[in-house]
Structure formats: structure tokens, C-alpha cells
Amino acid sequence: MNNTTWLTALAQTINAQNKANFASTLVALIRLHVDFDCVVILGYNRQRRPVYLYDAIPKNRELLFQHYLNRSYVDDPFFRAFEEGLEQGVYRHDALAAKLGINPDYINDFYQSTGWSDEVGFVIPLDTDRCVVINLGYLQGKASGLLSTEKKKQIQSLHQIYDVIAALTRQHWLNQSFLLADAPVNNARIRYAVEQAINEFGQAVLTEREHDVLKLIVQGFDSKAIAEQLNIGMGTVKNHRKKIYANLNVASVSELFGLFLNYLITVDAADRAVVE
């Protein structure tokens, strides 16, 4: 790789800041230094489950959504280490597991089910309570994996670019709330439709603050998280929720989600009609 290639890719990543293709562009930049087979980018909030931000997984992708994000994340060495105050840097999955004394059965089950043979992660704190982890995976049987003779060279290369990758990551996600994933290019329309639905749903019948609360509710925030996000009291959040339910004529959060999903379908259909 020459300097021109690196600078071109770096410029493309900078230009992708705050756009839906940022994560894929960042991954392409990392790939110029180290070859890998899979990547998963997760956002961590203290005492909350990880938030999916991006992935490029060629096989067994359903395991990420059906198992890891639902329950098995609690045994993930990166998640456990973050909860215990892990410093920024580049870490190997198995080294963290050994340091934390995590049951080796989790590691064995993880690699057997996913087909990965090794994993390394960029740990990038955004603030005292949030962190982005970029997980790079290597499939079993790949000579280019971290267990090959190139291991030390690849790890060293990741350490060399860490500051650049961390700076780009912070610039993109620092002022975001890990609410929506960075969509692959072919799914950009879906993300646009979801963003549009979130921003417009209920707006006509709610005050500005009530709408702020509603936008967080439909993205999975509970009352405590909403209070923290908007810097308001729990009692205020509860009052806003009552008014939102009354104005939208729903009696529960499940009804609210059903109403939102119907609105999302309507927005997406209208958007397709305009495009077509």
C-alpha cells in the first residue's frame, strides 16, 4: 500500500462522517492495513445491552441478532471488560477472556457456532459511559488469521493506526446516541425511511418536548434512559408519556409500537411511490 492509496481512503472516510456509509468506509480503510474475514461494530452503554451499529459477516449472520444481541453478549470478553473499566486500545478476544477468567466453554461455543478462529478488537471510548468496539474476525482455516505467522505483524499494524481510527470513530459517533445502525449502501433507503418515520411520527399532535420523548420511546429507551438523555426528571418523563398515550389514543407501549410500525410502513410505501 502506498501513501496515495492511504490518503485517498482517509479522505473518503472523513467525507463520510455523519453519513450512512461511514462504517463501511471506515472498515475499508482498516482493511488497507490488515486483512480480515468479518467485522462487527457495536456500541456499548454501561449497564445496557450492546447496540448493533454495523456488520459485514459472510456466514451465520443470524447468530449476531438471534443469540449474541439477545443474551450471549453478557459473556463476551469485550463487553465484560468494558463494564470493568477497560482502557482504550487494541485487544485480542482470547487474551481478554483469559485475563477475566471467562469460562472457556463460551469461547469454544462462540468459535464453533460462528466459524471464527480468532478475533481482535479496537476499543474506542467516546466518554465515561459509552464505547465503540470494532471487532475484526478471522474464519477457521484462513492462513491470514491472527493465529498465523503474520499475527504479530498484523497486531502491530493495528496499533499503529489506532489513533487515526479512534479519532474518526469519535468524530462520527460522539454526538450520536447509538440509535440507528450505519446501513450498508444497498439498505440506505431503509434507514432513510426509519429516520423519517421517527422524526415525523406523532409530531402533529404533540408538543416539541413530548415528541422528543416519543422519538426515544420508539427507539427502545425506557423512562430512566429518556430522563438521562434529555436531562429531565423521571416524573417529567412519566407525565410526558401519559400525554403521548392520550394524544395518540393508545393504552400501552405495545400499542404505541404497533402504531409506529404501521406509520413506518406507510412512510416507506409513500417513499417508494415517489421514487418509482
Side-chain angles (χ1 to χ4, degrees), residues 45-49 79 82-83 129 224:
N45 288 285
R46 294 204 184 279
Q47 299 181 342
R48 295 186 64 191
R49 69 178 65 239
F79 179 77
F82 166 70
E83 288 288 302
D129 295 315
K224 181 181 178 182

Side-chain angles (χ1 to χ4, degrees), residues 164-179:
V164 173
I165 301 304
L168 292 166
T169 298
R170 291 189 182 104
Q171 186 68 27
H172 179 71
W173 274 297
L174 181 61
N175 295 318
Q176 298 188 32
S177 302
F178 294 159
L179 301 181

Side-chain angles (χ1 to χ4, degrees), residues 13-29:
T13 309
I14 293 172
N15 288 332
Q17 292 284 334
N18 301 314
K19 298 179 182 177
N21 67 329
F22 170 77
S24 59
T25 308
L26 181 69
V27 168
L29 181 67

Side-chain angles (χ1 to χ4, degrees), residues 209-210 213 232 236-244:
R209 180 54 92 186
E210 288 167 357
V213 172
I232 57 179
T236 303
V237 174
K238 291 179 180 179
N239 287 334
H240 284 318
R241 292 185 77 121
K242 289 179 181 178
K243 293 178 181 177
I244 290 168

Side-chain angles (χ1 to χ4, degrees), residues 9-237:
L10 178 59
Q12 291 173 342
T13 309
I14 293 172
N15 288 332
Q17 292 284 334
N18 301 314
K19 298 179 182 177
N21 67 329
F22 170 77
S24 59
T25 308
L26 181 69
V27 168
L29 181 67
I30 298 172
R31 197 181 291 278
L32 289 176
H33 281 263
V34 174
D35 189 26
F36 48 88
D37 302 308
C38 320
V39 60
V40 178
I41 303 180
L42 299 170
Y44 291 163
N45 288 285
R46 294 204 184 279
Q47 299 181 342
R48 295 186 64 191
R49 69 178 65 239
V51 176
Y52 167 85
L53 297 176
Y54 176 83
D55 82 277
I57 303 176
K59 58 182 293 188
N60 294 326
R61 186 170 180 263
E62 70 281 358
L63 294 174
L64 172 64
F65 300 97
Q66 295 178 7
H67 297 284
Y68 178 85
L69 291 174
N70 284 328
R71 60 180 183 273
S72 63
Y73 70 88
V74 296
D75 291 318
D76 181 356
F78 284 100
F79 179 77
R80 290 268 299 274
F82 166 70
E83 288 288 302
E84 296 182 18
L86 182 65
E87 298 290 333
Q88 68 175 24
V90 178
Y91 297 88
R92 283 189 58 180
H93 184 269
D94 56 355
L96 276 182
K99 181 179 179 180
L100 293 169
I102 292 177
N103 189 330
D105 289 342
Y106 167 79
I107 307 300
N108 296 334
D109 290 344
F110 173 83
Y111 285 138
Q112 183 176 359
S113 59
T114 61
W116 291 25
S117 64
D118 210 340
E119 179 184 358
V120 63
F122 287 91
V123 176
I124 305 169
L126 300 181
D127 50 42
T128 57
D129 295 315
R130 298 188 306 144
C131 176
V132 171
V133 176
I134 304 173
N135 300 280
L136 309 179
Y138 299 81
L139 295 176
Q140 295 172 8
K142 293 282 188 174
S144 60
L146 292 177
L147 298 178
S148 71
T149 56
E150 294 294 313
K151 177 182 64 177
K152 291 183 179 179
K153 182 178 179 181
Q154 293 194 41
I155 293 292
Q156 183 180 9
S157 181
L158 292 177
H159 280 289
Q160 290 172 348
I161 66 171
Y162 175 86
D163 287 342
V164 173
I165 301 304
L168 292 166
T169 298
R170 291 189 182 104
Q171 186 68 27
H172 179 71
W173 274 297
L174 181 61
N175 295 318
Q176 298 188 32
S177 302
F178 294 159
L179 301 181
L180 294 177
D182 277 6
V185 174
N186 59 342
N187 284 338
R189 182 188 59 78
I190 296 175
R191 176 179 170 130
Y192 172 76
V194 173
E195 288 179 333
Q196 184 179 358
I198 290 171
N199 289 328
E200 296 179 356
F201 177 56
Q203 190 175 36
V205 296
L206 300 176
T207 67
E208 182 177 353
R209 180 54 92 186
E210 288 167 357
H211 191 241
D212 289 339
V213 172
L214 176 63
K215 288 192 293 185
L216 294 175
I217 292 174
V218 298
Q219 291 173 95
F221 281 65
D222 59 21
S223 293
K224 181 181 178 182
I226 292 171
E228 293 173 352
Q229 184 74 19
L230 299 179
N231 195 26
I232 57 179
M234 282 280 289
T236 303
V237 174

